[in-house]
Amino acid sequence: MEFKNLLLETNDGITTLTINRREALNSLNSSVIAELECAFYELDLDETVKGVVLTGAGEKAFVAGADIKEMSELSSFEAQDFARRGQRVMLLINRMHKPVIAAVNGYALGGGLELALACDFIYASEKAKFGFPEVGLGVIPGFGGTQNLARLIGPNRAKELVFSGRIITAAKAHAWGIVNELFSPEELLPKALETAREIAAKGPLGVAYAKDAIASGLNMTKEDGFRYEASLFGVLFATGDQREGMGAFLEKRSAEFKGK
Ligand code: CAA
């Protein structure tokens, strides 16, 4: 698919996916959402891609939310459908086998914060801003934000952020555990790429199963999660990556994983 709103660049197996709709602060309209769904689907299938860094074009915004102009005209049924399409992208990122790091370079508001929260973790510029302004528009977050934020930082802080519609600094988002690490604007992308490359050098099946165990386990009882973890642990012992990883350790050399 040809993308009008996305830029994709792959180097050393890491794809930088940039949402590029600067005139509307990279906000998510139906086209961007459809393109993101297609892009993540293709990236998941592409064997040459080991990880993704997601960011926004320009210095001002990661993504300033879902497109308010488009949403303002929606009927109730269309709005539900719009939310489901956005949620499909979030779930796709959750389920894909490769790590996705959000590099939040500016405003991450509403659907933009939801997109960042759907990624495996968030790095941010010290100048980034975070918030859920939806209640100020008479609605609620609709791309999984209420669910993902409460699971990440607990219901009380999630309620404060969502109920107030307040926009918080990167430092506060970091202190609250929304953001893993803060960087200067210049350092952000290189640091996200460096981490993506570090992960890509590990066993890809191990990374994929660890992602699955953590994501699936959050929806299970602890005992079921333990059982699931043990079964994935066992499955990995049927792979070449396990033999290569442990063999390389014992032979005191670097492992060369094949993802098989
Ligand atoms: N949707 C559509 N257009 C948007 C937008 C959005 N979410 N955010 C910004 N834009 C557009 C503006 O309309 C403006 O376009 P024009 O030049 O054509 O007027 C352009 O981007 C630049 O924005 P501003 O002039 O407003 O820039 P600013 O620096 O003064 O303010 C801002 C920046 C604080 C981010 C402000 O743009 C803003 O508040 N944006 C809306 C944020 C928001 O409410 N997001 C949540 C949307 S609801 C949602 O996401 C629902 C969901 O969960 C699914």
Side-chain angles (χ1 to χ4, degrees):
M1 180 176 177
E2 282 259 313
F3 299 119
K4 288 198 182 121
N5 303 287
L6 306 180
L7 304 170
L8 284 99
E9 190 188 332
T10 303
N11 290 307
D12 303 329
I14 308 300
T15 299
T16 305
L17 197 173
T18 307
I19 301 178
N20 185 29
R21 193 175 171 241
R22 292 179 198 220
E23 70 283 3
L25 299 189
N26 305 323
S27 58
L28 307 174
N29 62 12
S30 299
S31 309
V32 182
I33 290 168
E35 289 187 15
L36 281 172
E37 185 172 6
C38 183
F40 277 111
Y41 187 77
E42 286 179 359
L43 289 168
D44 198 20
L45 291 179
D46 187 338
E47 286 187 4
T48 65
V49 174
K50 310 284 180 221
V52 180
V53 172
L54 177 65
T55 194
E59 284 168 14
K60 200 162 170 185
F62 172 71
V63 169
D67 188 309
I68 300 171
K69 222 174 273 177
E70 183 179 324
M71 279 187 300
S72 66
E73 304 288 334
L74 299 181
S75 69
S76 176
F77 176 82
E78 288 166 339
Q80 201 174 45
D81 187 54
F82 183 69
R84 288 207 180 110
R85 276 182 280 139
Q87 289 175 357
R88 261 201 331 249
V89 175
M90 311 302 154
L91 291 171
L92 193 55
I93 296 171
N94 269 185
R95 288 181 191 139
M96 69 187 274
H97 288 155
K98 298 158 192 185
V100 183
I101 302 173
V104 174
N105 51 309
Y107 284 111
L109 302 178
L113 178 48
E114 293 175 297
L115 189 58
L117 289 169
C119 296
D120 292 308
F121 52 88
I122 302 174
Y123 282 177
S125 146
E126 288 148 356
K127 294 191 174 160
K129 297 258 167 52
F130 297 80
F132 278 121
E134 283 89 340
V135 290
L137 299 165
V139 295
I140 64 170
F143 292 167
T146 57
Q147 306 307 302
N148 280 336
L149 186 67
R151 279 168 171 79
L152 183 65
I153 64 171
N156 292 20
R157 281 180 166 167
K159 285 178 193 168
E160 187 179 338
L161 201 63
V162 173
F163 294 179
S164 68
R166 197 180 288 152
I167 294 180
I168 60 170
T169 60
K172 183 148 187 176
H174 182 234
W176 275 17
I178 296 172
V179 172
N180 277 18
E181 217 167 327
L182 296 178
F183 299 98
S184 69
E186 301 74 38
E187 273 185 316
L188 173 63
L189 206 52
K191 288 290 185 185
L193 289 166
E194 187 183 313
T195 298
R197 277 194 296 269
E198 188 183 338
I199 297 170
K202 302 292 186 290
L205 295 176
V207 173
Y209 280 28
K211 177 167 173 168
D212 183 7
I214 292 168
S216 303
L218 284 171
N219 298 320
M220 296 179 188
T221 63
K222 192 154 115 177
E223 223 168 286
D224 286 344
F226 271 41
R227 241 192 308 277
Y228 190 57
E229 182 188 79
S231 69
L232 294 181
F233 184 78
V235 168
L236 285 167
F237 280 73
T239 68
D241 275 6
Q242 175 268 332
R243 284 189 296 281
E244 170 63 12
M246 293 193 181
F249 175 81
L250 296 173
E251 291 160 20
K252 300 189 187 305
R253 61 176 174 84
S254 304
E256 285 189 29
F257 293 108
K258 298 210 160 48
K260 291 183 177 141

